[in-house]
Amino acid sequence: MPSAMSKHLANFPTSTLAAALTAAECDPDLGKPDDFTWRDYLLMLLRIDAGIEHALMVQYLYAAYSLGGEQVPPDKRPMVRRWQQTLLSIAKEEMGHLITVQNVITCLGGAISLEREDYPWDHDFYPFPFELEPLTLDSLAKYVYTEAPIGWGEQGRLSGAAEQVHTVLQERHEGLRKSILSRLEAQPVPPKPDGVKSVAALFKVILGILQDPSRLSEDDFNAASYAWQASWDAWSCNHGQRSGEEAADENQFQGMPGGARTCPTTADLIIVPVATRDDVIDALQQVAEQGESPHSEQEQSHFARFLHIYDEFSTHFPSGCETQPARELPINPTTFANLHQSDGDMARRSTRITHPESVKWAQLFDLRYRLLLTFLAHSFRLARAVNPNKGAGTYQAVVHRAFGEMYNLKAISEILVRQPLDADPDLPFRPAGPPFQMPYTLELPETSSSCWLQYLEMLKACGNLREALEQNGDLSPRETEYLQTQANADRACADWLNTQLEAARVSEEVAP
């Protein structure tokens, strides 16, 4: 059944919002429906953006995991590995965006939102259906268009932002722009003629609300929530550098104007706690600029990085080229056995994993993904109970566990892209892929003890899947070693969780 958010989006007046964005004088209502207050409308838009940031993060991870394989010519493998590292860095930066948006929601008194729909899904706040697909020129064209500044993709006209892009990226990138737009128009689902069309446009509306004091009062911003929010120091964990720090010279993109820099192996994380209106505006402007900014003295935007990969990809692996840099991973892989007609596009565009061993690996992947999202959600609750700046404790341990799950997702993905998709041995080999299926719920239990118990149940389910793989699977030595390493880590985690569980039960027994 469609989610509550999906039903709202299906009936949302996006045409009104699109007209507001393209009008010479911006619509004072910014597309706000009559049954919303400004604060409620802003929180809904932030939840939409959080879902988009989450979806982009996962799409970019899937595209990154698809790269490589024996089919890649040896002389092109270093370039393809660099593309993969760039995609992984952008995905990490999208995680930073997702966390910063949670901080903003927290400051405004809303509930954190880590939900998204399963793939594929679609709405008018995004120019294309969200899909998991391997990296191709077609998928790259979508990523460039999505991250582009407002007006960049409009045929026949250039907005001020697009003119800047045109100037900075010079004439050769105008050719790329035309190539990308032509490719997109030829796809089964071309960019929508109406609607918001890009993440940049959505941010324009969000910032338009925040920048007008008549729409939100200072009382709408809870400065006390600053101590409850995620910080860069807690979440960087050697996975990135502070936003604005320069990357090493050897990581510069050769041939890019102005010597603009990027670091494909180190994410430029933006994780900003906020307390005031100005803090919120500054944080969201940083997020928006990292995605779309046509030029920067210190870093390459997501838009520019994707455009550069598209340039290299079209040069070294043009359309019709027999070799490709990515494995032919399935579109929207799923372990669901029954996709009914009521599931709409999901039934038509999903690819079922049927090989028994691959199904177990995919289920194990989804369990670790659920653990990651639960640790992330739990960290925000724990931050309310103890100031994370006071030193090591439960909050830091949960954040650490979340990073551990990121490594599990990467390791299992590398296994899945080498596993068979189909159970039928007579079919030619096709690889499986990580499904990134959302769990049935991300809601945390009410009591602390129930939260710790929920983790233990998930680890138990992981153990059951490992046992099934070890008993019934034809495992390679590398896969066996990984499962043993995961089992050892889970035993240590379970010991820690049981300690937390007992402490919580004692605390709940003596609580009035």
Side-chain angles (χ1 to χ4, degrees), residues 103 106 222-231 273-275 379-390 395:
N103 284 347
T106 300
N222 182 4
S225 70
Y226 187 93
W228 311 336
Q229 297 170 27
S231 68
V274 294
S379 72
F380 278 87
R381 176 184 288 188
L382 290 172
R384 293 173 179 262
V386 56
N387 187 339
N389 296 320
K390 290 182 179 178
Y395 172 86

Short mmCIF file of all heavy atoms in Angstrom, two decimals, residues 103 106 222-231 273-275 379-390 395:
data_model
loop_
_atom_site.label_atom_id
_atom_site.label_comp_id
_atom_site.label_asym_id
_atom_site.label_seq_id
_atom_site.Cartn_x
_atom_site.Cartn_y
_atom_site.Cartn_z
N ASN A 103 19.41 17.48 11.70
CA ASN A 103 19.70 18.53 12.69
C ASN A 103 18.73 19.70 12.54
O ASN A 103 18.22 20.24 13.53
CB ASN A 103 21.14 19.03 12.53
CG ASN A 103 22.16 18.07 13.10
OD1 ASN A 103 21.84 17.12 13.81
ND2 ASN A 103 23.42 18.29 12.77
N THR A 106 15.35 18.71 13.78
CA THR A 106 15.38 18.69 15.25
C THR A 106 15.27 20.10 15.81
O THR A 106 14.52 20.36 16.77
CB THR A 106 16.66 18.02 15.74
OG1 THR A 106 16.70 16.67 15.26
CG2 THR A 106 16.72 17.99 17.26
N ASN A 222 14.60 26.03 18.12
CA ASN A 222 14.91 25.62 19.49
C ASN A 222 16.42 25.55 19.67
O ASN A 222 17.06 24.56 19.31
CB ASN A 222 14.26 24.27 19.79
CG ASN A 222 14.50 23.82 21.22
OD1 ASN A 222 15.09 24.54 22.02
ND2 ASN A 222 14.05 22.62 21.54
N ALA A 223 17.00 26.60 20.26
CA ALA A 223 18.45 26.65 20.45
C ALA A 223 18.93 25.55 21.38
O ALA A 223 20.06 25.06 21.25
CB ALA A 223 18.86 28.02 20.98
N ALA A 224 18.08 25.13 22.34
CA ALA A 224 18.49 24.09 23.29
C ALA A 224 18.74 22.76 22.60
O ALA A 224 19.46 21.90 23.13
CB ALA A 224 17.42 23.93 24.37
N SER A 225 18.16 22.58 21.39
CA SER A 225 18.34 21.30 20.70
C SER A 225 19.74 21.13 20.13
O SER A 225 20.10 20.04 19.67
CB SER A 225 17.31 21.19 19.56
OG SER A 225 17.62 22.10 18.51
N TYR A 226 20.54 22.19 20.15
CA TYR A 226 21.90 22.13 19.61
C TYR A 226 22.69 20.97 20.23
O TYR A 226 23.42 20.26 19.54
CB TYR A 226 22.60 23.46 19.88
CG TYR A 226 23.96 23.61 19.22
CD1 TYR A 226 24.08 24.21 17.96
CD2 TYR A 226 25.13 23.17 19.84
CE1 TYR A 226 25.32 24.37 17.35
CE2 TYR A 226 26.37 23.32 19.24
CZ TYR A 226 26.46 23.91 17.99
OH TYR A 226 27.69 24.06 17.40
N ALA A 227 22.54 20.79 21.55
CA ALA A 227 23.28 19.73 22.25
C ALA A 227 22.80 18.34 21.88
O ALA A 227 23.48 17.35 22.16
CB ALA A 227 23.17 19.95 23.75
N TRP A 228 21.62 18.23 21.27
CA TRP A 228 21.08 16.92 20.92
C TRP A 228 21.47 16.49 19.51
O TRP A 228 21.17 15.37 19.11
CB TRP A 228 19.54 16.94 20.97
CG TRP A 228 18.94 17.53 22.20
CD1 TRP A 228 19.52 17.65 23.44
CD2 TRP A 228 17.63 18.10 22.31
NE1 TRP A 228 18.65 18.26 24.32
CE2 TRP A 228 17.48 18.54 23.65
CE3 TRP A 228 16.57 18.28 21.44
CZ2 TRP A 228 16.32 19.14 24.12
CZ3 TRP A 228 15.41 18.85 21.89
CH2 TRP A 228 15.29 19.29 23.22
N GLN A 229 22.07 17.38 18.77
CA GLN A 229 22.25 17.15 17.33
C GLN A 229 23.59 16.48 17.02
O GLN A 229 24.51 16.48 17.84
CB GLN A 229 22.13 18.48 16.59
CG GLN A 229 20.77 19.14 16.72
CD GLN A 229 20.76 20.55 16.19
OE1 GLN A 229 21.54 20.90 15.31
NE2 GLN A 229 19.87 21.39 16.74
N ALA A 230 23.66 15.95 15.82
CA ALA A 230 24.89 15.32 15.35
C ALA A 230 25.93 16.39 15.04
O ALA A 230 25.60 17.48 14.58
CB ALA A 230 24.61 14.49 14.09
N SER A 231 27.19 16.07 15.29
CA SER A 231 28.27 17.00 15.01
C SER A 231 29.30 16.35 14.10
O SER A 231 29.39 15.12 14.01
CB SER A 231 28.96 17.43 16.31
OG SER A 231 29.66 16.34 16.90
N PRO A 273 25.58 21.16 13.30
CA PRO A 273 24.50 21.41 14.28
C PRO A 273 24.04 22.86 14.18
O PRO A 273 24.84 23.75 13.84
CB PRO A 273 25.15 21.10 15.63
CG PRO A 273 26.62 21.27 15.40
CD PRO A 273 26.88 20.97 13.95
N VAL A 274 22.78 23.12 14.47
CA VAL A 274 22.20 24.45 14.27
C VAL A 274 21.38 24.86 15.50
O VAL A 274 20.81 24.01 16.19
CB VAL A 274 21.32 24.49 13.01
CG1 VAL A 274 22.15 24.29 11.76
CG2 VAL A 274 20.22 23.43 13.08
N ALA A 275 21.32 26.17 15.73
CA ALA A 275 20.56 26.68 16.88
C ALA A 275 19.66 27.84 16.53
O ALA A 275 18.68 28.09 17.24
CB ALA A 275 21.54 27.11 17.99
N SER A 379 20.98 7.16 17.62
CA SER A 379 21.97 8.16 18.05
C SER A 379 21.31 9.49 18.36
O SER A 379 21.72 10.21 19.29
CB SER A 379 23.07 8.33 16.98
OG SER A 379 22.58 9.00 15.84
N PHE A 380 20.28 9.85 17.60
CA PHE A 380 19.60 11.12 17.86
C PHE A 380 18.82 11.05 19.17
O PHE A 380 18.75 12.05 19.90
CB PHE A 380 18.67 11.46 16.70
CG PHE A 380 19.37 12.12 15.54
CD1 PHE A 380 19.96 11.36 14.55
CD2 PHE A 380 19.46 13.50 15.45
CE1 PHE A 380 20.62 11.96 13.49
CE2 PHE A 380 20.12 14.11 14.39
CZ PHE A 380 20.71 13.33 13.41
N ARG A 381 18.25 9.90 19.49
CA ARG A 381 17.55 9.79 20.77
C ARG A 381 18.54 9.84 21.93
O ARG A 381 18.31 10.52 22.93
CB ARG A 381 16.76 8.49 20.83
CG ARG A 381 16.09 8.28 22.20
CD ARG A 381 15.37 6.95 22.34
NE ARG A 381 14.15 6.92 21.54
CZ ARG A 381 13.26 5.91 21.61
NH1 ARG A 381 13.49 4.88 22.43
NH2 ARG A 381 12.18 5.93 20.88
N LEU A 382 19.65 9.14 21.79
CA LEU A 382 20.63 9.11 22.88
C LEU A 382 21.24 10.49 23.12
O LEU A 382 21.57 10.84 24.25
CB LEU A 382 21.74 8.11 22.57
CG LEU A 382 21.32 6.63 22.62
CD1 LEU A 382 22.44 5.76 22.09
CD2 LEU A 382 20.95 6.22 24.03
N ALA A 383 21.40 11.27 22.05
CA ALA A 383 21.98 12.61 22.20
C ALA A 383 21.12 13.49 23.08
O ALA A 383 21.61 14.43 23.72
CB ALA A 383 22.17 13.25 20.83
N ARG A 384 19.82 13.21 23.16
CA ARG A 384 18.94 13.98 24.03
C ARG A 384 19.17 13.64 25.50
O ARG A 384 18.91 14.45 26.39
CB ARG A 384 17.48 13.70 23.68
CG ARG A 384 17.06 14.22 22.32
CD ARG A 384 15.65 13.76 21.97
NE ARG A 384 15.23 14.28 20.67
CZ ARG A 384 14.47 15.36 20.51
NH1 ARG A 384 14.06 16.03 21.57
NH2 ARG A 384 14.13 15.78 19.31
N ALA A 385 19.67 12.42 25.75
CA ALA A 385 19.83 11.97 27.13
C ALA A 385 21.18 12.35 27.71
O ALA A 385 21.32 12.49 28.92
CB ALA A 385 19.64 10.45 27.21
N VAL A 386 22.18 12.48 26.85
CA VAL A 386 23.51 12.81 27.35
C VAL A 386 24.21 13.67 26.31
O VAL A 386 24.13 13.42 25.12
CB VAL A 386 24.34 11.53 27.62
CG1 VAL A 386 24.45 10.66 26.39
CG2 VAL A 386 25.73 11.88 28.15
N ASN A 387 24.86 14.70 26.78
CA ASN A 387 25.59 15.59 25.87
C ASN A 387 26.77 14.83 25.29
O ASN A 387 27.68 14.43 26.02
CB ASN A 387 26.08 16.83 26.63
CG ASN A 387 26.71 17.86 25.70
OD1 ASN A 387 27.14 17.54 24.60
ND2 ASN A 387 26.75 19.10 26.15
N PRO A 388 26.80 14.58 23.97
CA PRO A 388 27.88 13.78 23.38
C PRO A 388 29.24 14.44 23.49
O PRO A 388 30.25 13.79 23.28
CB PRO A 388 27.45 13.64 21.92
CG PRO A 388 26.53 14.79 21.68
CD PRO A 388 25.82 15.03 22.98
N ASN A 389 29.28 15.73 23.82
CA ASN A 389 30.57 16.41 23.94
C ASN A 389 31.26 16.16 25.28
O ASN A 389 32.36 16.63 25.51
CB ASN A 389 30.39 17.91 23.73
CG ASN A 389 29.88 18.23 22.33
OD1 ASN A 389 30.33 17.62 21.37
ND2 ASN A 389 28.95 19.17 22.23
N LYS A 390 30.61 15.44 26.19
CA LYS A 390 31.18 15.22 27.52
C LYS A 390 32.16 14.05 27.56
O LYS A 390 32.74 13.77 28.59
CB LYS A 390 30.05 14.98 28.52
CG LYS A 390 29.22 16.23 28.81
CD LYS A 390 28.14 15.94 29.84
CE LYS A 390 27.32 17.19 30.15
NZ LYS A 390 26.24 16.92 31.13
N TYR A 395 26.46 7.03 23.46
CA TYR A 395 26.23 7.74 22.20
C TYR A 395 27.37 7.46 21.22
O TYR A 395 27.13 7.08 20.06
CB TYR A 395 26.11 9.24 22.48
CG TYR A 395 26.07 10.11 21.23
CD1 TYR A 395 24.87 10.36 20.58
CD2 TYR A 395 27.23 10.67 20.71
CE1 TYR A 395 24.82 11.15 19.44
CE2 TYR A 395 27.20 11.47 19.58
CZ TYR A 395 25.99 11.70 18.94
OH TYR A 395 25.96 12.48 17.82
#
